Amino acid sequence: MRYCINCCIHLLPNDLHRQCFRCRGSNHNNQKCPVCKGENNIPLYTDSKQMKLLAVLEVRTDHSESWNGFFCLRKGKLCSLIFGLIIMTLVMASYILTGAKHGLLLIPSPFHYGAFTSNPSLMDNESLSDMKDHYQPSKMNISYVKDYPSIKLIIDTIASKIEFITRQRPDLEELRKQEPHMFSVIPNKFLPNSKNPCWYEEYRGNTTTDPYATNSYALYSKRFRTIFDYLRKVFWNHLYHYKDKHYRLRCLPHFYIIGQPKCGTTDLYDRLRLHPDVRFSAIKEPHWWTRKRFGIIRLRDGFHDRYPVEDYLDLFDLAAHQIQGVLQSEAAKERAKMNNIIIGEASASTMWDNNAWIFFYDNSTEGEPPFLIQDFIHAFQPNAKLIIMLRDPVERLYSDYLYFASANKSAEDFHEKVAESLQLFENCMLDYSLRACVYNNTLNNAMPVRLQVGLYVVYLLDWLTVFDKDQILVLRLEDHASNVKYTMHMVFQFLDLGPLSEKQEALITKSPASNTRRPEDRSLGPMLPTTKAILRDFYRPFNTKLAQVLFDDAFLWKRT
């Protein structure tokens, strides 16, 4: 019996293969057939007869008796198609879920803000991605609206909703209920012979105890381990021994540089720490009041263990050792000498970042936080001094974008992000108060650029509800850049620092500027004129109010 490999690979009942269009009749000759001949034919012996097996098998769909092979192949293709569709569905589902989590889904279509959840326990347990599920996408695709008149309508809507309403200040007992541990650690009175707020705390450990073993700053950051290694070595040398007990000197900052980011706070910090009577925390920006005490290291990473107040106080141990040296010196004991060393802290988030409140405090104030950072600072340090460095909010926003954006930076991309953020802010303002929107964690994380950080007057007015105006020094970066000596003298006078020699003053005022724009960012050029005009319109009512509060038209930023 003969087998035809060109038609099918199984035995056919008709030996003559008359139905095969290639092997018609019994006179088929493999040597003459253009299909059967060739070097790739492989001889196969079946029933003692030689046959040719092609290297590549072909299945003929028009063979009337090969439907089994046909359906076999079609079934394989169908399975492949179904498998491909499943893979595609999984990929799309992954994209959708990831996009929803990071606020990337339907980027051109911003979120429309709905109602705040009234259940505090639910709010405390929700993740940032869950929070965004409360909101519906807006119908208007603002990301592609580049014409000034269209965006101007959005800005006009925002401006019509602006109301500067004085917040209700919480009483001390309410604050104690929120942070009982903090109030148990920090006393309500400090050493009378120290300009800086300090006190002695009993230390119950022994010589083998590591006082910094559980410090979260040391555990979570390798950068700070060297500092804490040094503190461990000198710790016992700085304990105060009295009546068989050991005491350590604890200190809080005398002053805070509270804001704003990208406004020259780093340069001010670098110059101030050159003053012989000024010390700073071991870390420039601990962000303890705003983030770490809530367990926030990075918002995108969710919550970690909360940093206790003891971890924050550890950051001032280096300065406390020097203050203790002054207090324990023989000359100080004899003459009752006053310690004039003061400590500063320079977290640029302190003024504005209250994003964590909604996860920890009762949301019963129509979206407005019942407690702010300044409430707690004032409870412990009613005499604290605060320094604020500001700049034109339009330029601040562009600098902020260039510094934090990781990819695809351009003036056009910045324009798109500004437009989208304005739409989001408008959506919130349609339903909620200005303060509720400014401190809205979900809105702030959804906006591609941090518009809210430039609303200086909103934050300043809230700080003025707890601190007196003469406790807050507000500077402009533009003035600092043009006359460093003048602004530094203002700071020295505000902090009541002693006089400097000419050499010391020159060292402080003539040092090169810190944290300037990176060369690769400068090469991108300025923002688009249309973008600048849009932002000028958006920030104008806030700048006008700021100038009124400070009695200084320079804060209108008309000439920048």
Side-chain angles (χ1 to χ4, degrees):
M1 179 179 290
R2 294 180 303 169
Y3 302 87
C4 177
I5 203 63
N6 296 310
C7 304
C8 53
I9 59 173
H10 59 281
L11 181 65
L12 294 176
N14 188 350
D15 192 35
L16 295 179
H17 286 61
R18 296 188 184 276
Q19 59 270 54
C20 176
F21 75 97
R22 290 188 179 180
C23 307
R24 302 182 188 279
S26 58
N27 297 323
H28 177 264
N29 189 324
N30 287 345
Q31 295 299 324
K32 294 181 180 181
C33 177
V35 178
C36 298
K37 69 180 180 179
E39 297 179 357
N40 291 328
N41 294 347
I42 301 173
L44 179 68
Y45 289 87
T46 306
D47 297 337
S48 301
K49 295 183 180 180
Q50 178 178 329
M51 62 178 293
K52 300 289 185 177
L53 179 64
L54 294 177
V56 180
L57 301 180
E58 294 181 357
V59 179
R60 299 298 172 187
T61 59
D62 56 342
H63 197 291
S64 59
E65 293 188 26
S66 62
W67 291 105
N68 289 337
F70 170 83
F71 283 118
C72 241
L73 183 62
R74 282 293 179 264
K75 185 176 181 181
K77 289 184 177 180
L78 183 60
C79 289
S80 299
L81 179 61
I82 293 173
F83 180 78
L85 289 174
I86 292 173
I87 295 297
M88 185 183 301
T89 303
L90 291 174
V91 170
M92 289 299 296
S94 174
Y95 168 76
I96 292 171
L97 292 174
T98 305
K101 180 178 179 181
H102 296 287
L104 300 174
L105 181 60
L106 299 177
I107 288 178
S109 237
F111 297 100
H112 179 71
Y113 282 79
F116 285 89
T117 300
S118 58
N119 186 343
S121 61
L122 175 62
M123 297 303 294
D124 287 348
N125 294 323
E126 278 184 323
S127 66
L128 298 182
S129 60
D130 295 332
M131 290 285 294
K132 292 179 182 178
D133 292 338
H134 288 290
Y135 309 118
Q136 300 300 321
S138 169
K139 294 180 179 179
M140 183 177 180
N141 192 341
I142 191 61
S143 290
Y144 296 99
V145 179
K146 292 186 177 181
D147 57 305
Y148 176 80
S150 298
I151 302 179
K152 184 66 166 61
L153 293 175
I154 295 174
I155 296 173
D156 290 342
T157 302
I158 294 172
S160 68
K161 299 290 183 178
I162 295 174
E163 287 185 281
F164 299 102
I165 301 174
T166 304
R167 67 182 287 260
Q168 185 67 35
R169 177 178 167 181
D171 60 41
L172 187 60
E173 287 306 311
E174 290 179 299
L175 297 175
R176 289 182 184 275
K177 291 178 182 178
Q178 297 300 322
E179 297 288 351
H181 178 68
M182 198 190 308
F183 279 89
S184 70
V185 173
I186 302 176
N188 55 12
K189 291 184 179 180
F190 304 116
L191 294 177
N193 57 339
S194 176
K195 183 179 177 181
N196 196 87
C198 297
W199 68 97
Y200 280 105
E201 173 187 280
E202 183 180 353
Y203 180 70
R204 295 181 172 85
N206 54 44
T207 54
T208 61
T209 305
D210 180 0
Y212 305 105
T214 60
N215 187 287
S216 300
Y217 286 99
L219 294 174
Y220 283 109
S221 178
K222 295 180 180 178
R223 292 188 300 146
F224 307 138
R225 290 177 187 171
T226 303
I227 297 172
F228 286 102
D229 285 341
Y230 172 77
L231 288 172
R232 289 185 184 95
K233 293 177 182 178
V234 301
F235 180 79
W236 275 91
N237 297 333
H238 293 280
L239 288 180
Y240 176 58
H241 307 282
Y242 181 72
K243 293 184 178 180
D244 298 326
K245 291 184 178 181
H246 303 293
Y247 296 88
R248 65 189 295 189
L249 188 67
R250 288 293 208 176
C251 297
L252 280 169
H254 173 71
F255 71 95
Y256 296 83
I257 300 175
I258 62 174
Q260 290 285 64
K262 310 313 297 175
C263 290
T265 57
T266 299
D267 187 73
L268 179 61
Y269 161 83
D270 285 337
R271 295 182 192 280
L272 257 180
R273 66 178 181 168
L274 296 176
H275 194 286
D277 290 339
V278 175
R279 304 292 183 273
F280 275 93
S281 54
I283 302 166
K284 175 187 176 283
E285 295 188 88
H287 297 295
W288 185 79
W289 290 102
T290 55
R291 299 169 188 172
K292 301 299 191 297
R293 72 186 178 101
F294 297 109
I296 299 173
I297 299 177
R298 297 180 185 86
L299 277 173
R300 64 177 179 269
D301 295 336
F303 292 94
H304 298 260
D305 293 335
R306 300 180 69 174
Y307 287 32
V309 65
E310 291 88 345
D311 290 2
Y312 180 60
L313 296 175
D314 287 347
L315 301 180
F316 305 106
D317 277 2
L318 282 173
H321 293 167
Q322 297 181 47
I323 292 175
Q324 184 180 5
V326 174
L327 296 175
Q328 297 298 317
S329 66
E330 291 300 324
K333 292 178 181 178
E334 293 175 3
R335 304 174 190 174
K337 184 180 178 180
M338 183 80 172
N339 163 63
N340 289 318
I341 294 176
I342 59 174
I343 304 174
E345 200 253 69
S347 298
S349 63
T350 307
M351 181 178 180
W352 65 274
D353 190 352
N354 281 276
N355 284 330
W357 77 267
I358 202 166
F359 299 103
F360 294 90
Y361 302 141
D362 179 27
N363 180 23
S364 58
T365 52
E366 297 184 352
E368 295 189 11
F371 310 103
L372 295 176
I373 302 305
Q374 51 266 41
D375 298 328
F376 293 98
I377 294 178
H378 183 269
F380 300 114
Q381 299 175 259
N383 298 318
K385 295 199 172 185
L386 312 167
I387 301 175
I388 302 171
M389 182 81 86
L390 305 177
R391 72 187 288 190
D392 180 357
V394 176
E395 297 299 334
R396 193 220 69 81
L397 187 65
Y398 191 50
S399 178
D400 197 63
Y401 163 79
L402 293 177
Y403 185 82
F404 288 105
S406 57
N408 302 320
K409 289 187 285 189
S410 67
E412 293 76 16
D413 180 66
F414 176 65
H415 180 94
E416 297 290 337
K417 286 178 168 54
V418 166
E420 183 179 345
S421 298
L422 285 170
Q423 170 82 56
L424 288 166
F425 198 81
E426 179 205 27
N427 289 341
C428 184
M429 290 288 289
L430 290 174
D431 297 319
Y432 301 103
S433 69
L434 175 60
R435 183 178 291 106
C437 292
V438 166
Y439 293 122
N440 186 325
N441 172 72
T442 308
L443 171 63
N444 293 339
N445 283 286
M447 288 194 295
V449 290
R450 301 193 296 183
L451 283 175
Q452 80 281 5
V453 178
L455 306 181
Y456 307 139
V457 71
V458 179
Y459 306 111
L460 180 60
L461 289 173
D462 283 347
W463 280 84
L464 287 172
T465 61
V466 291
F467 286 97
D468 293 336
K469 200 169 184 178
D470 59 3
Q471 292 179 260
I472 303 176
L473 175 64
V474 183
L475 304 170
R476 294 195 330 146
L477 175 61
E478 293 83 0
D479 300 329
H480 180 67
S482 62
N483 194 338
V484 173
K485 186 175 182 179
Y486 175 73
T487 56
M488 294 309 299
H489 272 272
M490 289 182 64
V491 174
F492 297 155
Q493 184 178 359
F494 175 70
L495 297 176
D496 194 23
L497 294 171
L500 295 171
S501 67
E502 290 185 7
K503 185 177 181 180
Q504 289 173 326
E505 185 175 299
L507 177 65
I508 293 173
T509 59
K510 295 183 179 180
S511 300
S514 303
N515 203 22
T516 56
R517 186 171 293 179
R518 296 170 295 204
E520 60 269 26
D521 291 338
R522 287 198 296 267
S523 65
L524 294 175
M527 70 184 84
L528 299 176
T530 303
T531 315
K532 179 174 284 191
I534 289 168
L535 291 172
R536 285 263 179 266
D537 289 340
F538 172 69
Y539 285 117
R540 184 174 293 112
F542 301 99
N543 294 344
T544 300
K545 182 65 175 179
L546 179 65
Q548 292 172 357
V549 172
L550 298 175
F551 300 101
D552 189 347
D553 286 345
F555 290 93
L556 294 172
W557 282 286
K558 287 184 175 180
R559 298 180 181 179
T560 57

